[in-house]
Amino acid sequence: MADQPTILVLNGTNLNMLGVRQPEIYGRETLGDIEAACRERGAELGLEVDFRQSNHEGELVGWIQEARGTADGIVINAGALSHTSIAILDALLAAELPVMEVHLSNIYKRDAFRHHSYVSKAARGVICGLGSLGYLFALDALKRQLAQDQA
Ligand code: DQA
């Protein structure tokens, strides 16, 4: 349906490796599995899901810039770029859209360098440690936030 809100679900560096990458931390689900689950949840919620992954910071920045005119909200797991990229933070701030940050792992139980995320400064909410369920909760939350923003 054309009038459904569109949510850009963005995945950053190394998330294309899910399923084979450190399964003890990230589980056995592939990014394709997560995409399918997001599409199913999106359909239930009446949200159009635009699901993407890139290992390139500039490509992610370009997609976030485009989202300003084309999407209604953003779910982002920027991978390691969460901890390093002021460029992604600036793009998210410029997008002026509701943003939910997701991490599959609990970044606060891990290395100290993972405890800080630049993305968080642009996010309404942060979900970590719940695996792929976090993406689905982020879609639920955005659906409610969009309704609240319109009220
Ligand atoms: C991650 C956590 C990051 O620290 C890491 O660099 C990733 C994945 C997560 O989903 O748990 O690539 O964002």
Side-chain angles (χ1 to χ4, degrees):
M1 245 190 288
D3 56 357
Q4 289 191 339
T6 297
I7 306 301
L8 179 61
V9 182
L10 269 191
N11 295 277
T13 41
N14 295 307
L15 291 166
N16 56 313
M17 299 296 287
L18 287 178
V20 291
R21 173 194 183 199
Q22 294 181 284
E24 68 286 1
I25 295 175
Y26 298 115
R28 292 268 174 211
E29 271 183 305
T30 66
L31 194 64
D33 295 332
I34 297 176
E35 177 174 2
C38 284
R39 290 196 184 288
E40 194 180 319
R41 192 77 188 112
E44 286 163 9
L45 292 167
L47 299 172
E48 185 74 39
V49 171
D50 182 357
F51 193 98
R52 303 183 191 196
Q53 189 273 334
S54 177
N55 291 320
H56 303 281
E57 186 177 29
E59 187 162 41
L60 293 160
V61 166
W63 287 341
I64 295 165
Q65 289 180 1
E66 279 170 30
R68 187 185 161 100
T70 58
D72 299 287
I74 298 174
V75 174
I76 182 165
N77 179 356
L81 291 170
S82 316
H83 316 301
T84 61
S85 180
I86 298 168
I88 288 178
L89 167 62
D90 283 349
L92 290 168
L93 291 172
E96 294 182 345
L97 291 169
V99 174
M100 296 294 300
E101 178 180 6
V102 173
H103 298 280
L104 296 154
S105 64
N106 181 350
I107 54 176
Y108 301 103
K109 266 170 82 171
R110 301 183 62 197
D111 324 82
F113 59 80
R114 297 183 201 275
H115 296 179
H116 175 265
S117 164
Y118 285 102
V119 170
S120 299
K121 198 164 170 56
R124 287 212 190 168
V126 181
I127 301 169
C128 75
L130 301 179
S132 61
L133 196 55
Y135 285 74
L136 307 186
F137 286 154
L139 289 172
D140 289 353
L142 270 181
K143 170 79 182 186
R144 287 167 190 245
Q145 299 271 317
L146 291 175
Q148 272 173 24
D149 290 353
Q150 274 164 13

